[in-house]
Amino acid sequence: MIGMLRGHVESVDAVSAIIEVGGVGYEVRMPSADLASMHAGQGIKVYTSLNVSQDAITLFGFGTLASKRMFLQLQKVSGIGPKVALSLLSTLPPDRLARAVADGDATALAKAPGLGKKGAQKIILELKGSIDLSQIEGSSATASTPEDTGAEQVVEGLMSLGWHQQDAVHAVQTVCADNQIETPLNAEDVPRVLKLALTSLDRGR
């Protein structure tokens, strides 16, 4: 079982990333928010889950341990496979997904492509009360750039100003790429990146 990869991003597309570890490239299917925060050459740690079916062997990856836990938890529901679980995590981050289950919010869950209202109600029926919210929410800190403490500081600063984690991560990665700022960030670059990311996020409103 492959439980975690630490290496560098070789390439990213709309549904997966290729992560190079020791000269081997692993194709990893990931939630859209995680993919949006990644760029080629980035050092990264990804929590993974290997799925073996009759016609394919697929490696799924997650920027946080919370996402992986939620991915596995969702598949305990009868009729929910890895594709739907990944769709849910591409629609809602793990903490909001767990909260939707706890609150019985079928409408929020049903926004995931491939699920529908009945599937959402089934997830709530089978998982409500069994998800440890403190475990999910406590491990939802940014992990897509675990070796870049400067970027984490910027993301935390943006989140303290009210921005969602996935939007903050994406803004940091974008401004670093657009302005040719090397990562991991050094302490001198943190204020500049924070200012640029705020400007980028404000433009996107």
Side-chain angles (χ1 to χ4, degrees):
M1 178 65 70
I2 303 172
M4 186 268 287
L5 298 174
R6 186 191 294 273
H8 289 83
V9 179
E10 178 67 24
S11 63
V12 185
D13 61 29
V15 296
S16 64
I18 295 179
I19 300 173
E20 189 267 326
V21 181
V24 178
Y26 294 86
E27 184 174 356
V28 187
R29 293 181 65 89
M30 302 181 68
S32 56
D34 288 335
L35 293 169
S37 72
M38 296 163 62
H39 61 85
Q42 173 187 354
I44 195 167
K45 179 171 72 174
V46 175
Y47 299 96
T48 58
S49 175
L50 184 66
N51 180 264
V52 180
S53 63
Q54 290 183 340
D55 55 358
I57 298 175
T58 308
L59 190 62
F60 293 91
F62 311 91
T64 67
L65 190 56
S67 288
K68 178 179 176 178
R69 287 171 175 160
M70 180 58 73
F71 177 76
L72 296 174
Q73 190 85 1
L74 287 167
Q75 292 178 75
K76 293 180 180 178
V77 178
S78 58
I80 301 298
K83 289 183 179 179
V84 173
L86 189 67
S87 176
L88 277 160
L89 285 164
S90 291
T91 304
L92 294 170
D95 52 347
R96 288 174 59 193
L97 207 163
R99 180 58 64 184
V101 173
D103 294 343
D105 189 353
T107 301
L109 297 179
K111 292 178 181 179
L115 183 61
K117 197 68 174 283
K118 288 185 177 180
Q121 292 170 341
K122 191 172 187 179
I123 288 172
I124 292 169
L125 180 64
E126 296 191 27
L127 291 187
K128 191 171 185 178
S130 65
I131 294 178
D132 186 343
L133 287 174
S134 64
Q135 186 183 54
I136 295 293
E137 294 171 347
S139 58
S140 292
T142 303
S144 58
T145 53
E147 299 168 359
D148 192 343
T149 56
E152 290 179 0
Q153 290 175 20
V154 176
V155 170
E156 289 172 3
L158 294 171
M159 291 173 65
S160 72
L161 294 172
W163 296 99
H164 291 304
Q165 177 190 340
Q166 63 190 66
D167 295 329
V169 171
H170 184 255
V172 171
Q173 297 295 344
T174 299
V175 300
C176 286
D178 290 349
N179 294 276
Q180 298 182 333
I181 301 172
E182 292 187 3
T183 55
L185 296 179
N186 57 49
E188 292 76 17
D189 284 328
V190 169
R192 179 189 175 199
V193 172
L194 178 59
K195 183 177 180 180
L196 288 169
L198 274 172
T199 301
S200 174
L201 287 165
D202 284 336
R203 279 202 306 265
R205 278 180 165 169

